[in-house]
Amino acid sequence: MTTEIADVLIVGAGPVGLTAAVVLTQLGHDVVIVDSQAEGANTSRAAVVHPHTLELLEPYGVTRPLVGRGLHTPDFTIRDRDKVLIAVPFDRLPTAYPYTLMISQADTEKFILHRLTELGVAVRRPVEVTAVVQDAELVTATLSDGERIRARYLIGADGLHSTVREQAGIGFAGGSYAESFSLADVRVSGGVPKDEVILYFSPAGLVVVAPLPDEMYRIVATVDEAPPEPDVAFVQRLLDERGPKARPAVVEEVVWGSRFRVHHRIADRFRDGRILLAGDAAHVHSPAGGQGMNLGIEDAVTAATALSRVLRGESPELLDEHAAARRGTTEAVVSIAGRLTSLATMPAAVRPIRNTAMRLAGKTALVRNKLAWRLSGLDRR
Ligand SMILES: Cc1cc2nc3c(=O)[nH]c(=O)nc-3n(C[C@H](O)[C@H](O)[C@H](O)COP(=O)(O)OP(=O)(O)OC[C@H]3O[C@@H](n4cnc5c(N)ncnc54)[C@H](O)[C@@H]3O)c2cc1C
């Protein structure tokens, strides 16, 4: 059994763990990053990168390739079939990135990993952390083959079913939504713009239509029971019943599809001594507003920056400030994602009233601007 010592051990090489590794390495620290999977996931999943995330990643050499590959969508609207209820003005935001960047999570991870490789760090995989203990000096992770890694600090970026969170005895309170989400990346023609993310809040239910690179579109809908793999007929029906009416959309091919149930849970605390939680290990919530991965990447950048300062001699109390601030931010984001989800999934009988109220609210610049600031993450600068 060998024991190795690092400044920081990062458990999990999803977008969050990879980002933390890039930031800490670039800031001059000695990092070990491990992942239990033999290779990274190559599916589309989180497809939205918001302006604030792009700003945060800028100093670490990741933003330029992301904006080079992703699709820039300056318009974001909530509609009832062809009628605009609220137009959210992303294009007027005071940022170098006044748009929603649409890009598959596989590509986002690829660019962050590429930067980590440039910095000379390789992800160790498949390496599963099975136990974590800490003392006054160090934190020790035991791997499935019995090896141990000791580090001054550990970041648990090991996702929803986090072993690190469980080993640290941190609770993960919350609940689940009744609806199931159906998700498909499709080729489609007809009434689907290339520069606009549209949330259709139609009487028949919610469907999101968002453009992706390579002439693809991401379709997301809430349904009672989603099929494991949506086919062309299923997605076509969703768009016929809920999407554009005057110029219908025609689905030609489903390239990738999935389904998921949504939980809303927040870790009781984001720090336990030498352990910090980040990303899905710390919070999961509805995909409404596309906040999940963005919030996780923010956790990673802020945790790594705070850890760097502590490793250079500043007070470990900084980590408490970081953890408390991130928990507060998470509560606010989970709350807005929850409110959007409740609005989107209201019972059919009240949807016409909801839409009238939204159309009236959408006439107010204050409402439109507030939504743009909150969804883009710029209110968290
Ligand atoms: C089908 C699907 C669709 C989604 N769609 C959206 C969407 O539209 N919008 C959105 O915002 N989000 C979406 N998400 C969620 C998004 O993918 C996550 O928020 C994001 O991946 C979180 O990143 P993370 O790095 O925190 O965790 P993950 O990406 O889950 O990465 C955790 C990593 O830790 C590793 N790991 C776990 N346990 C251990 C261990 N014990 N030892 C070592 N390694 C370990 C895992 O192998 C994994 O690679 C979707 C997720 C799925 C599955």
Side-chain angles (χ1 to χ4, degrees):
M1 185 195 313
T2 52
T3 302
E4 182 179 345
I5 300 210
D7 283 338
V8 182
L9 170 62
I10 298 168
V11 184
V16 174
L18 290 171
T19 301
V22 165
V23 175
L24 280 160
T25 308
Q26 190 167 310
L27 293 175
H29 303 287
D30 167 29
V31 165
V32 172
I33 174 167
V34 300
D35 197 288
S36 53
Q37 299 297 315
E39 49 188 59
N42 60 2
T43 51
S44 184
R45 295 162 293 147
V48 180
V49 179
H50 283 303
H52 182 48
T53 310
L54 294 171
E55 289 182 349
L56 278 177
L57 291 173
E58 210 175 53
Y60 304 104
V62 181
T63 298
R64 189 191 283 251
L66 281 177
V67 302
R69 167 72 180 137
L71 204 68
H72 303 191
T73 51
D75 296 327
F76 183 105
T77 57
I78 301 179
R79 294 172 181 252
D80 173 351
R81 308 298 309 248
D82 299 319
K83 219 171 7 196
V84 174
L85 301 177
I86 303 182
V88 183
F90 266 60
D91 56 342
R92 271 173 257 152
L93 288 168
T95 168
Y97 314 103
Y99 45 78
T100 302
L101 187 81
M102 297 302 302
I103 182 170
S104 90
Q105 186 171 332
D107 277 346
T108 301
E109 289 180 23
K110 187 178 80 186
F111 290 123
I112 308 173
L113 178 63
H114 179 75
R115 179 64 187 140
L116 189 61
T117 309
E118 277 181 352
L119 291 165
V121 176
V123 177
R124 297 198 199 167
R125 52 171 73 236
V127 170
E128 185 184 1
V129 168
T130 53
V132 177
V133 291
Q134 53 181 326
D135 55 35
E137 305 282 302
L138 292 167
V139 51
T140 304
T142 304
L143 312 181
S144 50
D145 63 2
E147 192 192 333
R148 290 187 315 192
I149 299 177
R150 307 198 79 198
R152 291 174 66 190
Y153 289 95
L154 182 150
I155 297 179
D158 50 344
L160 171 63
H161 304 291
S162 169
T163 301
V164 172
R165 186 184 65 231
E166 187 223 346
Q167 289 283 304
I170 299 175
F172 200 39
S176 306
Y177 292 99
E179 295 82 8
S180 129
F181 283 73
S182 182
L183 188 151
D185 288 355
V186 301
R187 292 193 197 286
V188 57
S189 57
V192 281
K194 258 321 237 179
D195 53 359
E196 184 174 345
V197 173
I198 306 176
L199 272 58
Y200 287 99
F201 276 41
S202 297
L206 168 80
V207 67
V208 179
V209 179
L212 286 171
D214 305 330
E215 305 301 317
M216 304 269 289
Y217 285 82
R218 161 65 59 92
I219 311 294
V220 185
T222 46
V223 289
D224 291 338
E225 205 50 62
E229 287 178 14
D231 59 13
V232 168
F234 180 81
V235 181
Q236 186 65 61
R237 201 167 55 245
L238 287 173
L239 291 175
D240 288 346
E241 290 171 356
R242 309 177 182 189
K245 201 170 170 187
R247 193 166 161 241
V250 180
V251 182
E252 280 147 15
E253 184 190 357
V254 175
V255 176
W256 175 75
S258 183
R259 66 173 170 184
F260 57 100
R261 286 210 173 270
V262 175
H263 313 277
H264 48 95
R265 294 183 182 278
I266 306 181
D268 293 347
R269 53 191 196 283
F270 286 18
R271 179 189 179 198
D272 183 75
R274 297 184 169 275
I275 298 171
L276 294 178
L277 296 181
D280 279 17
H283 45 74
V284 287
H285 55 82
S286 153
Q291 300 293 307
M293 186 181 69
N294 290 275
L295 194 59
I297 290 176
E298 275 177 47
D299 293 342
V301 174
T302 52
T305 316
L307 271 177
S308 176
R309 290 172 60 187
V310 173
L311 286 163
R312 293 196 187 286
E314 290 190 50
S315 165
E317 279 176 17
L318 265 180
L319 301 180
D320 284 331
E321 285 166 27
H322 156 80
R326 288 314 298 165
R327 202 173 185 289
T329 299
T330 300
E331 278 173 3
V333 171
V334 172
S335 147
I336 188 169
R339 264 180 282 155
L340 267 176
T341 308
S342 306
L343 275 173
T345 57
M346 275 184 166
V350 291
R351 287 176 198 157
I353 303 168
R354 170 200 68 188
N355 287 3
T356 305
M358 286 181 78
R359 195 152 43 84
L360 288 174
K363 290 186 191 297
T364 319
L366 187 70
V367 171
R368 294 197 302 271
N369 291 334
K370 202 169 164 194
L371 260 174
W373 276 84
R374 291 196 73 176
L375 292 176
S376 64
L378 293 182
D379 65 330
R380 310 196 283 273
R381 261 174 180 159

